[in-house]
Amino acid sequence: FKASKSEKSEQSAKSAEKHYLFVEVEDCIDIKPSFEIADDPECSGGKYLTHPEGTGSSWANQGVGEAKYFVKIPADGKYFLWALVKWESGCSDCFDVFIENITPLRPDNIFCGNPKSWEPKMLGKDTTLFSWHWVNHHVFNLKKGTAEVLLKNHDDGSNIDKFLLTDDPGYVPQGIKEWVYERDFDSG
C-alpha cells in the first residue's frame, strides 16, 4: 500500500496533533482524608485540593490523604505531568503521584531537591513558596484509553489547584485561569 500525497499530509497532521489534558483537582472521583477541598478565588474553578498543615506526612507514616481521577488518554505516547501548586513551607512541598502503576521517567534538567531523597512518585520539591506556580517532574509512557491517576499525601501543608498531562514536550503552562476546557471524565 502506497499513501497518496493527501493521505500522507493527513497522517502527518494526525501525528503532529498535540494533546493538553487539564484536570481540576476538585473534580476527583474519590477523596480520602486527610485531603480536603478548599476555596480560593485565585484558583481556576475557585477551589483546590489541600493536605492541611499538621495532618501528617506519608514519609513519617502519618496522614493518608488520597484523591482519585480518571483521565481519557487520546493517543499512545509520552505524557508530561505538570501541576499548579502552592507550598506552605520548604518542608511542605510535595505530593506523591501514581498513574496506572507506571514508574515515571524524570528529565535530568528538572530540580527535585536532594537527589538522594527523591523518589519517582514525588511531585514537587521546588523552592517557590506561598504562591501558585507550575511544577513538572514526570514523564509517563501512557496508552490510549482511560488512565487512573492517584494523588497521595507526601507532605502536609501542600496544595494543588489542577494538573495537566500533555504529549507536547515543548509546552510550559503559564498562569492560573487562561485555559478554558471541558470537564469530560469517565466514571471508571
Side-chain angles (χ1 to χ4, degrees):
F1 171 79
K2 187 173 181 181
S4 69
K5 186 173 182 177
S6 64
E7 288 171 328
K8 285 181 184 177
S9 296
E10 186 176 312
Q11 289 170 350
S12 177
K14 284 182 181 177
S15 66
E17 183 181 350
K18 298 297 180 194
H19 304 95
Y20 305 88
L21 311 171
F22 285 85
V23 178
E24 287 285 345
V25 294
E26 64 267 22
D27 291 335
C28 55
I29 302 302
D30 186 34
I31 186 170
K32 296 180 182 171
S34 49
F35 279 176
E36 300 173 4
I37 302 295
D39 295 319
D40 183 344
E42 291 184 17
C43 294
S44 65
K47 296 186 181 297
Y48 67 99
L49 180 80
T50 184
H51 182 225
E53 193 73 49
T55 56
S57 297
S58 66
W59 56 265
N61 295 319
Q62 301 171 343
V64 292
E66 180 179 299
K68 182 189 295 187
Y69 306 85
F70 292 105
V71 180
K72 290 180 184 177
I73 306 301
D76 292 358
K78 287 185 178 179
Y79 284 80
F80 297 79
L81 175 68
W82 289 87
L84 185 59
V85 298
K86 181 166 69 171
W87 313 129
E88 300 299 327
S89 76
C91 294
S92 302
D93 60 357
C94 189
F95 286 94
D96 291 340
V97 63
F98 303 87
I99 301 179
E100 293 294 314
N101 294 317
I102 296 169
T103 301
L105 310 169
R106 182 180 59 86
D108 291 334
N109 64 341
I110 293 178
F111 173 77
C112 63
N114 180 349
K116 293 180 182 177
S117 66
W118 188 84
E119 299 176 40
K121 66 182 179 180
M122 295 166 64
L123 174 66
K125 292 294 183 195
D126 69 307
T127 57
T128 302
L129 304 177
F130 311 117
S131 64
W132 291 106
H133 64 285
W134 287 95
V135 294
N136 171 3
H137 285 198
H138 298 85
V139 181
F140 291 88
N141 287 315
L142 299 177
K143 299 287 184 195
K144 181 179 179 176
T146 301
E148 180 183 82
V149 178
L150 289 176
L151 293 176
K152 292 188 177 185
N153 156 37
H154 188 88
D155 291 332
D156 57 340
S158 299
N159 308 295
I160 182 170
D161 179 19
K162 61 184 165 187
F163 64 88
L164 161 68
L165 286 165
T166 181
D167 57 356
D168 183 348
Y171 181 73
V172 178
Q174 303 290 316
I176 295 174
K177 299 181 181 181
E178 78 275 12
W179 280 91
V180 176
Y181 51 93
E182 293 182 27
R183 295 180 181 178
D184 182 20
F185 303 99
D186 284 343
S187 61

